[in-house]
Amino acid sequence: MTAGGGAMERIPILQMGEFLLVTIQVDLNDTLAQTLMDDLTAKVAATGARGVLIDISSVTVVDSFIGRMLNDIAATSRVLDATTVVVGMQPAVAITLVELGLSLGGVRTALNVDRGIALLRAALAAPADATHPE
Amino acid sequence: MPPIRSEVLELRATPDIVHVRQTVRARAAEMGFTLVDQTKLVTAASELARNAITYGGGGRVRIEALEEDTRRGLRLTFEDQGAGIANVEQALTDGYTTGNGLGLGLGGARRLVNEFSIHSRVGEGTRVTITRWM
Ligand SMILES: Nc1ncnc2c1ncn2[C@@H]1O[C@H](COP(=O)(O)OP(=O)(O)OP(=O)(O)O)[C@@H](O)[C@H]1O
Ligand SMILES: [Mg+2]
């Protein structure tokens, strides 16, 4: 972000073939979370991406707000025919989420980016997707 | 026993939630809390800070390091002068929300700490105190 704060802070979204990759490396404030959600939705629609990978390996807290954001991203992407995989959740975060009572029910998870990509590839190749001509 | 260290952070707007998380994380790490315990306390703090801002119109949190003969801990007291909660039991129920949240914040915060108390008066405000012992 530039000094003076005029420029809007954003989390970059990278395109990797038919997938989008987001790496969250900052403590997300609400504005940044909302911007990310809007940007991702727009990018899925614009690119026709079939998968979204969200790398949260640097994220040290997932509270109910951020959890809801992840669920909302997955739900919106699904409507746009893209599968969302959240990768790299730290064990302490996972333990805390369970106790908080938050289920990331609508979100697939994988241990790391490589496994996340494998999961997306498998999802795309699965028979359920045979109805989508490619 | 008086706290060995005490500080107060203002809760005015949602960016302050990030500040609370970072400060609680730093204090818990300094004291030697395990990573899982740090994460639980920080997550509970995030929930209660957000509630004070969203529903309490803002307030403050006191962060106190406690040292007793046989144990050490961190106590957080969130206070606001907002509308208060008419039915605290109901507010603590998972899934109950008057906003557009998941209704997990209060109940989840209670599960994530060792001690939890809430005092609320309609028209006067809300005070939530949580303690986690090492
Ligand atoms: N500080 C407060 N002042 C007034 N009302 C509050 C306060 N904190 C909580 N409440 C009330 O209690 C309800 C439940 O709070 P809780 O944090 O459990 O869920 P939420 O904030 O609605 O959703 P979530 O925390 O899951 O995003 C709130 O919807 C609100 O009506
Ligand atoms: Mg809440």
Side-chain angles (χ1 to χ4, degrees):
Chain A
M1 197 165 70
T2 51
M8 182 129 120
E9 201 183 354
R10 286 197 127 82
I11 295 176
I13 302 170
L14 302 181
Q15 190 167 357
M16 298 171 41
E18 55 194 342
F19 305 141
L20 300 179
L21 173 65
V22 177
T23 306
I24 301 176
Q25 279 168 323
V26 294
D27 197 338
L28 277 183
N29 66 46
D30 296 15
T31 315
L32 205 51
Q34 186 60 51
T35 307
L36 173 62
M37 218 155 80
D38 296 347
D39 286 354
L40 254 181
T41 306
K43 195 125 180 186
V44 169
T47 61
R50 298 298 310 281
V52 175
L53 280 153
I54 305 177
D55 183 354
I56 61 165
S57 54
S58 305
V59 172
T60 55
V61 196
V62 174
D63 65 358
S64 63
F65 184 84
I66 297 168
R68 186 155 53 96
M69 177 199 81
L70 293 173
N71 271 331
D72 287 354
I73 287 174
T76 310
S77 300
R78 199 175 309 123
V79 174
L80 297 171
D81 202 20
T83 304
T84 302
V85 182
V86 169
V87 304
M89 185 182 293
Q90 294 182 9
V93 171
I95 291 166
T96 300
L97 272 185
V98 171
E99 217 156 284
L100 184 63
L102 190 72
S103 86
L104 293 181
V107 184
R108 294 188 177 220
T109 54
L111 218 52
N112 54 41
V113 173
D114 285 348
R115 292 212 194 170
I117 288 173
L119 201 150
L120 284 178
R121 293 228 165 94
L124 277 182
D129 273 314
T131 49
H132 300 288
E134 296 239 282
Chain B
M1 220 173 274
I4 53 172
R5 173 173 185 167
S6 170
E7 64 200 298
V8 174
L9 302 181
E10 294 295 321
L11 305 169
R12 292 190 198 88
T14 53
D16 294 331
I17 299 170
V18 173
H19 186 218
V20 170
R21 288 205 289 254
Q22 289 169 349
T23 307
V24 172
R25 169 76 67 182
R27 296 300 166 264
E30 282 159 20
M31 288 179 71
F33 274 95
T34 66
L35 190 57
V36 171
D37 284 354
Q38 289 174 32
T39 306
K40 288 181 177 179
L41 195 56
V42 171
T43 305
S46 188
E47 297 298 338
L48 298 175
R50 183 180 304 285
N51 282 352
I53 291 165
T54 309
Y55 304 110
R60 66 212 57 79
V61 55
R62 177 175 293 281
I63 303 170
E64 293 166 299
L66 308 176
E67 197 164 292
E68 297 183 349
D69 287 342
T70 56
R71 59 180 185 176
R72 295 193 300 141
L74 209 47
R75 180 167 66 203
L76 311 178
T77 306
F78 295 83
E79 232 168 345
D80 66 63
Q81 274 74 51
I85 303 171
N87 185 337
V88 168
E89 267 320 301
Q90 185 181 45
L92 275 162
T93 307
D94 282 353
Y96 177 82
T97 179
T98 59
N100 55 359
L102 298 171
L104 285 179
L106 278 179
R110 179 162 66 171
R111 285 189 289 274
L112 289 169
V113 297
N114 301 121
E115 289 167 24
F116 178 100
S117 71
I118 177 167
H119 297 277
S120 193
R121 260 180 209 281
V122 173
E124 288 179 24
T126 301
R127 185 176 72 238
V128 183
T129 305
I130 57 175
T131 309
R132 184 133 194 135
W133 298 102
M134 298 183 62

